[in-house]
Structure formats: C-alpha cells, structure tokens
Amino acid sequence: MGAASPDSGDLIVVEPARPGSPVAVVTINRPAALNALTKPMMVSLAAAFRRLGADDAVAAVVLAGRGRAFCSGVDLTAAEEVFKGDVKDVATDPVAQMELCRKPIVGAVAGFAVTAGFEIALACDILVAGRSAKFLDTHAKFGIFPSWGLSQKLSRIIGPNRAREVSLTCMPVTAEMAERWGLVNHVVDDTEVLIKAIEVAEAIARNNRNLVVLYKSVINDGFQLDLKHAQALEKERGHKYYSGMTKEQFANMQKFIQGRSSKPSSKL
C-alpha cells in the first residue's frame, strides 16, 4: 500500500494509518455534507475495498468519516440516480464489497451513522463508537426500501424486537445503547475514536495474517448457518488447513509460538 489514494475528487481517501503500516484507513471525506454519499462516491468506496482486499500489504482496514458524521446516508438530492440504478450490481455496491473484503474492517463511528451510513457501519467486522455517536434508520420516514442489509442484519445483532422499534419508529440508537445491545465493541471519547480503531486494527495485524483471513471467513460464513452445520464447516476448513501444511510450515508454527510466548501480550 502506497501513499494516500484519493478517489472521486478526494471524497474517498485511502492511506496507511502511519508510514509503512499494514493498516489502511479509508475516510469518507465530504464533511460539509455530513459525508452523504453520491453515486460516484459509492462506486469509489466499493473500488477501495475491492483493492484493499486484494492487497497483500494490507492486514486490516479502518473505515472513518471526516468531520461531525461517520456517514449521513445517501445524498437525497441525487436519489433518483442512486435508487434507479441496479441495486444488485455487486461491483459498485460498497456494502457488498465490504462483505467480500477478506481483511477485517474496523469501523470508527464518530457522530451520526444514518440509514445507508448505518448499513455501512453494520458491514464492518468490529465497531468503535464515540460517546456522541448515534445510529439512525430513516428508511421508513422517507419511503426508502432498504437494500444494503439493514432490515436483516440489525435484528440478528440486537434482536428482532429492538430492531423493529429502531427501524419502524426511526429512533436514534446512542453509543451507550449500542454498546449495551452488542452493536459496538468499544465506546470512547469522540477525539479517541480513530486512535482506538487503529489500535484494534494494529492488534489484528500483529497476528498470523493468513489465519486472520481464514478465521474471519469461517466466523462470518458460519454465522449464516445453524450451530450444527457451522461446527461442521469449522471442522471441514480446519482439516483442509492442516492437510495443506508441510512439515516445514508446522516447524515454523512451533518456532513462532515459542517466540511469541516470551513476549508480552497485546494491550487489548
């Protein structure tokens, strides 16, 4: 991963967390519009995650928004261009590309995550929220049918009764509520959101990168199944993993484990 990689007139910015870091930071950079998404921004965001997923130099990704909002949703002044497009076009769908991204994605949510912004947050693997963060689903208010997964994902995370209330009343979910309900992993001061998200991503990056990718995949794929079939999936992939290892790789694993055992554990 090289230096900053601006897209869509610098509205989507990709850069390393620090020089030489294996953590990429993707920033939605339209603060004057509370990071509302236009169609070109969506296409650029999707392309950014597609590139990062294929980049061997990247171990984890942080997604953030510049300014007072994480993402306030779709720019409704361009609603026709967005909603009359092909919602099944995976290549230009940022949520689909985030779900296909092999690398763990840590969302850094400061301020509002509204509707499409809420859906983008739900596509992250881990969420860090600022104390003033609010998650808001306004599909029902504006007559917009969800197509990025909010109607299905939210109930699986916070339970169907809470999800129905959040979506049908358009009530805001505060950071405190989100943490209590298991929607976010960490709540920190607003000024610490990006710092904490990068810290989590760097903790991931210190581990075996290949195993991290495989582990994320088996967790996410297994979550789509009942427990019996999910456990069978784990055994199947575990067998495939170990069957493909050479004696040299087993020896290297043992050396790595012995080396790590003498080092202090992660701060996390």
Side-chain angles (χ1 to χ4, degrees):
M1 180 176 57
S5 173
D7 292 293
S8 190
D10 291 334
L11 298 180
I12 303 296
V13 178
V14 181
E15 56 195 342
R18 53 179 56 87
S21 172
V23 173
V25 178
V26 179
T27 305
I28 305 171
N29 186 33
R30 198 186 177 206
L34 298 179
N35 296 322
L37 298 170
T38 62
K39 183 66 173 181
M41 288 173 69
M42 292 180 196
V43 173
S44 293
L45 190 58
F49 278 101
R50 191 164 57 250
R51 288 196 306 271
L52 294 171
D55 188 342
D56 291 337
V58 175
V61 182
V62 170
L63 176 61
R66 185 91 68 206
R68 296 184 296 115
F70 174 71
C71 174
S72 62
V74 170
D75 186 339
L76 294 180
T77 63
E80 184 174 358
E81 178 188 12
V82 173
F83 298 125
K84 284 196 173 180
D86 183 3
V87 296
K88 295 181 180 179
D89 183 5
V90 173
T92 61
D93 181 336
V95 168
Q97 290 302 319
M98 289 174 70
E99 291 170 344
L100 290 170
C101 182
R102 299 163 60 244
K103 314 300 171 57
I105 302 169
V106 182
V109 181
F112 284 95
V114 181
T115 314
F118 197 166
E119 291 176 303
I120 287 171
L122 290 176
C124 297
D125 298 296
I126 297 168
L127 286 176
V128 176
R131 299 193 193 284
S132 69
K134 287 185 174 62
F135 300 84
L136 185 62
D137 180 6
T138 62
H139 283 105
K141 183 182 291 292
F142 295 110
I144 301 168
F145 199 90
S147 59
W148 282 356
L150 206 157
S151 68
Q152 303 305 309
K153 290 181 181 178
L154 189 62
S155 62
R156 287 164 168 80
I157 298 171
I158 68 172
N161 286 3
R162 284 174 175 156
R164 280 189 284 264
E165 183 176 12
V166 168
S167 295
L168 302 183
T169 68
C170 304
M171 63 175 275
V173 178
T174 65
E176 181 185 358
M177 293 163 65
E179 185 179 36
R180 192 168 65 245
W181 292 352
L183 177 61
V184 305
N185 299 72
H186 303 277
V187 175
V188 298
D189 291 341
D190 291 349
T191 56
E192 300 293 315
V193 174
L194 185 58
I195 294 169
K196 181 64 176 178
I198 291 172
E199 179 185 327
V200 172
E202 289 181 337
I204 292 170
R206 286 193 290 271
N207 294 322
N208 183 296
R209 294 190 189 181
N210 181 48
L211 201 284
V212 164
V213 166
L214 295 175
Y215 212 150
K216 168 182 167 170
S217 176
V218 77
I219 291 172
N220 290 357
D221 292 348
F223 195 69
Q224 309 302 317
L225 307 172
D226 60 74
L227 181 59
K228 179 180 178 180
H229 288 94
Q231 288 177 316
L233 176 70
E234 181 190 68
K235 287 188 179 298
E236 177 187 336
R237 293 193 184 177
H239 176 74
K240 180 179 179 181
Y241 178 75
Y242 289 118
S243 296
M245 288 181 68
T246 64
K247 287 184 179 181
E248 182 181 2
Q249 287 173 320
F250 273 112
N252 288 338
M253 178 195 291
Q254 290 173 323
K255 288 179 183 177
F256 181 80
I257 292 169
Q258 290 167 355
R260 294 288 287 186
S261 65
S262 63
K263 295 179 181 180
S265 60
S266 165
K267 292 180 182 179
L268 295 177

